[in-house]
C-alpha cells in the first residue's frame, strides 16, 4: 500500500519534470477543457487552437463568399499535396511523396494493392494477426482480388519468415506500434529484411505519425498510410494520408483512379492518364472543410523537434508506469506495455478484468482514456499538451476508483456503442 510519502515523492518528481519541460509552452496551442485530463489522443486528438478560426474562415469567407472561386483563389486544389508535405515533415518524407485525402481505409486499399502489383509472380502477402482489424480486412480483400495468399505473421516473427520464404512474398504490411498495447516495433529492421528478400513493405502509421520520429525516407520505406485524427489532431473523421516513395511513383498502378489523379483533370478525357509524381495518388474531391482543419492542426508542430517530442513522450509513459507500480500494486492490474523505452510507443496499456467499468468511472471523474476488449485500459500520451502532473492525477484517480469500488456502480456497467 503506498504511503503519503510515496505520493509526495511522485508529486515532487512530476513538478520537477514539468518545470524542466522544454515543450511546456506548446500546451497553449490546444483548447483543453477545464478539469479534464485527456489520455485518449491516440484515438481522437484534442482540439488545436488554430482550427476553429481556420474552419470559420473556410465556411464563411472561402465557401460563403468566394464560392467555387476558392479552388483557385484559396488554394483548395493544391491542398491535398500541400497538407501531405506538412505531414511528410513529421514522418521523415521529403516533399512530393505524401498526399492527404480520403479515409485511412481508402488510402490503405489503394496503396497496398498498388504495392502488391509491383511484385508480380509472388504469391504471399504478410500481415500481422495483431494488426488493427481494418488492416486485416483489407489485406484479405487485396489477396482475393490479386489471387494472393494472406498469411498472418506476428511482427516479431516477420523477419524470420522473410528470410526463409521471402522469394514468395510480395508485400509485408505492418504497423510500427501495436494499437492495443503500444509496443513499438523496429521499422528499419523489418524494412531491411523485406528488401533483402526482394519484397516491399507497407506501413500503417496511425499510432506513430506525430507521436514519435518516423524516418520513412531514411529507412527506405516503400508505402505508408496514416490517419489525421489521432496524434495529428485534425478532428473527427480528418482525412488520412498516403506515402509513395519517389522511386515507386512512376509505376504506381493503384485501383482507385479518380479524376483528381489524372494528368489533365479538366480535359475531361474518358481514358485515365496518371498525373506525374505523388499527384497520381489523389483520387476524388477531398473533404475540404476537414482538410483545412487538418492543415491548421498541423501548425501545432511548428518549431517542435520530433526527437524532443519523443523524449517527453517516453518521460510521460515511463512516469505513468512508475506511478502505476507504486499506486496500483496489488489491485489486479498488469502492465501490457513494454517497459524498455525502445519498445514503447506513446501509449500505455494496463490489463484488468474490469477494464470497461474502470474506464467509465475514470471518464466520469474527468480522466479520459479508453479500453479495448477484452481487458485492456489504454492511455495515449500526446506530448504536445500533457504534463507529468496529469499522469499522476490519472493514476491517483484510478487507484481511488478501485479501492472505493466506485466502478461497480450501475451507471458504469452499461456499455455504449463506442468504447
Amino acid at each position: 500500500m503506498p504511503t503519503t510519502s510515496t505520493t509526495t515523492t511522485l508529486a515532487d518528481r512530476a513538478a520537477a519534470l514539468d518545470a524542466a519541460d522544454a515543450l511546456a509552452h506548446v500546451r497553449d496551442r490546444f483548447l483543453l477543457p477545464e478539469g479534464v485530463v485527456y489520455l485518449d489522443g491516440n484515438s481522437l486528438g484534442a482540439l488545436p487552437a488554430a482550427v476553429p478560426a481556420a474552419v470559420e474562415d473556410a465556411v464563411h469567407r472561402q465557401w460563403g463568399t468566394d464560392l467555387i472561386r476558392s479552388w483557385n483563389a484559396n488554394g483548395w486544389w493544391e491542398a491535398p499535396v500541400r497538407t501531405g508535405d506538412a505531414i511528410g515533415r513529421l514522418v521523415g518524407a521529403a516533399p512530393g511523396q505524401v498526399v492527404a485525402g480520403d479515409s485511412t481505409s481508402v488510402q490503405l486499399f489503394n496503396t497496398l494493392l498498388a504495392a502488391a502489383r509491383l511484385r508480380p509472380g509472388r504469391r504471399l502477402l504478410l500481415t500481422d494477426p495483431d494488426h488493427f482489424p481494418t488492416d486485416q480486412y483489407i489485406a484479405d480483400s487485396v489477396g482475393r482480388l490479386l489471387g494472393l495468399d494472406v498469411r498472418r505473421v506476428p511482427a516479431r516473427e516477420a523477419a524470420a519468415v522473410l528470410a526463409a520464404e521471402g522469394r514468395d512474398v510480395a508485400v509485408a504490411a505492418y504497423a510500427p506500434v501495436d494499437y492495443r498495447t503500444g509496443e513499438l516495433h523496429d521499422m528499419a529492421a523489418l524494412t531491411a529484411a523485406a528488401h533483402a528478400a526482394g519484397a516491399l513493405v507497407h506501413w500503417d502509421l496511425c499510432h506513430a505519425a506525430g507521436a514519435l520520429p518516423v524516418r520513412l525516407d531514411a529507412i527506405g520505406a516503400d508505402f505508408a498510410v496514416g490517419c489525421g485524427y489521432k496524434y495529428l489532431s485534425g478532428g473527427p473523421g480528418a482525412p488520412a494520408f498516403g506515402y509513395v516513395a519517389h522511386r515507386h511513383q512512376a509505376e504506381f498502378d493503384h485501383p482507385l483512379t479518380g479524376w483528381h489523379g489524372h494528368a489533365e483533370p479538366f480535359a475531361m478525357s474518358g481514358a485515365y492518364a496518371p498525373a506525374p509524381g505523388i499527384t497520381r495518388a489523389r483520387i476524388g474531391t477531398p473533404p475540404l472543410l476537414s482538410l483545412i482543419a487538418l492543415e491548421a492542426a498541423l501548425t501545432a508542430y511548428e518549431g517542435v523537434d520530433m526527437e524532443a517530442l519523443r523524449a517527453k513522450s517516453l518521460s510521460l509513459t515511463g512516469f505513468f508506469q512508475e506511478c502505476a507500480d507504486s499506486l496500483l500494486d496489488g489491485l489486479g492490474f498488469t502492465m501490457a506495455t513494454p517497459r524498455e523505452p525502445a519498445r514503447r510507443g506513446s501509449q500505455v496499456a494496463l490489463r484488468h478484468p474490469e477494464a470497461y467499468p474502470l474506464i467509465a468511472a475514470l471518464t466520469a471523474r474527468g480522466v479520459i482514456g479508453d479500453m479495448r476488449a477484452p481487458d485492456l485500459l489504454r492511455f495515449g500520451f500526446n506530448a504536445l499538451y500533457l504534463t507529468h502532473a496529469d499522469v499522476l492525477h490519472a493514476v491517483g484517480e484510478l487507484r481511488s476508483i478501485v479501492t472505493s469500488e466506485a466502478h461497480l456502480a450501475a451507471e458504469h456497467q452499461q456499455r455504449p456503442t463506442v468504447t
Side-chain angles (χ1 to χ4, degrees):
M1 178 175 180
T3 64
T4 301
S5 62
T6 300
T7 304
T8 301
T9 300
L10 290 171
D12 290 343
R13 279 188 28 76
L17 289 166
D18 288 337
D21 180 11
L23 297 178
H25 65 285
V26 182
R27 182 180 173 94
D28 293 335
R29 298 179 185 178
F30 292 84
L31 302 176
L32 301 168
E34 190 73 27
V36 170
V37 173
Y38 192 60
L39 300 178
D40 209 11
N42 57 322
S43 191
L44 174 66
L47 174 62
V51 169
V55 173
E56 183 178 13
D57 178 70
V59 170
H60 293 292
R61 182 183 65 82
Q62 297 180 38
W63 178 16
T65 300
D66 293 349
L67 298 167
I68 201 166
R69 293 171 292 184
S70 284
W71 283 103
N72 294 311
N74 292 302
W76 284 4
W77 185 262
E78 297 81 14
V81 173
R82 186 177 65 241
T83 306
D85 283 343
I87 295 170
R89 290 191 286 274
L90 303 179
V91 296
Q97 297 179 102
V98 179
V99 66
D102 302 290
S103 69
T104 308
S105 299
V106 170
Q107 292 284 1
L108 177 60
F109 175 74
N110 215 33
T111 52
L112 183 58
L113 194 147
R117 281 177 169 171
L118 287 173
R119 290 295 182 268
R122 291 177 172 235
R123 62 179 183 83
L124 288 179
L125 193 165
L126 303 186
T127 195
D128 197 330
D130 295 326
H131 230 336
F132 190 76
T134 291
D135 292 80
Q136 298 188 58
Y137 306 159
I138 289 180
D140 288 339
S141 178
V142 169
R144 289 193 302 272
L145 289 168
L146 298 183
L148 301 175
D149 294 329
V150 178
R151 184 182 300 179
R152 285 163 168 77
V153 177
R156 61 184 174 276
E157 300 172 15
V161 172
L162 285 162
E165 302 181 58
R167 65 187 180 280
D168 293 325
V169 176
V171 185
Y174 286 85
V177 179
D178 186 312
Y179 79 98
R180 304 159 311 145
T181 67
E183 180 177 2
L184 178 64
H185 303 297
D186 189 334
M187 290 182 69
L190 184 51
T191 300
H195 289 174
L200 300 177
V201 180
H202 188 287
W203 289 106
D204 180 339
L205 303 179
C206 285
H207 288 268
L212 49 87
V214 177
R215 304 175 181 87
L216 291 177
D217 288 351
I219 67 172
D222 300 299
F223 297 91
V225 299
C227 63
Y229 50 80
K230 297 186 190 299
Y231 293 98
L232 299 182
S233 300
F241 65 89
Y243 165 89
V244 182
H246 276 307
R247 65 186 179 279
H248 296 310
Q249 290 176 5
E251 303 301 321
F252 182 64
D253 182 14
H254 54 303
L256 299 175
T257 48
W259 74 294
H260 276 232
H262 196 282
E264 297 182 74
F266 289 93
M268 302 298 172
S269 169
Y272 183 76
I278 193 62
T279 300
R280 74 176 54 199
R282 293 178 60 168
I283 302 171
T285 304
L288 258 302
L289 297 181
S290 291
L291 189 57
I292 288 168
L294 173 59
E295 186 174 17
L298 295 172
T299 63
Y301 285 89
E302 289 180 357
V304 174
D305 178 75
M306 293 304 292
E307 294 294 342
L309 187 76
R310 173 64 169 161
K312 181 179 176 183
S313 167
L314 287 174
S315 181
L316 290 167
T317 54
F319 187 60
F320 185 97
Q321 291 181 319
E322 179 184 346
C323 291
D325 289 343
S326 297
L327 302 180
L328 303 180
D329 185 43
L331 298 179
F333 294 93
T334 56
M335 185 64 60
T337 302
R339 295 180 182 276
E340 305 93 316
R343 295 182 56 221
R344 195 166 68 236
S346 201
Q347 73 180 60
V348 176
L350 300 173
R351 293 192 185 278
H352 193 283
E354 297 176 307
Y356 176 73
L358 287 171
I359 284 293
L362 263 179
T363 299
R365 295 190 180 195
V367 177
I368 301 177
D370 67 16
M371 67 84 60
R372 288 294 176 261
D375 61 353
L376 281 175
L377 297 87
R378 292 196 318 170
F379 302 98
F381 296 85
N382 190 322
L384 295 179
Y385 53 76
L386 286 170
T387 68
H388 296 82
D390 290 335
V391 170
L392 178 57
H393 177 74
V395 179
E397 287 294 331
L398 186 55
R399 173 180 172 77
S400 173
I401 288 167
V402 176
T403 55
S404 67
E405 298 186 339
H407 61 296
L408 300 181
E411 63 264 28
H412 301 319
Q413 305 303 313
Q414 188 66 38
R415 299 193 185 197
T417 301
V418 178
T419 60

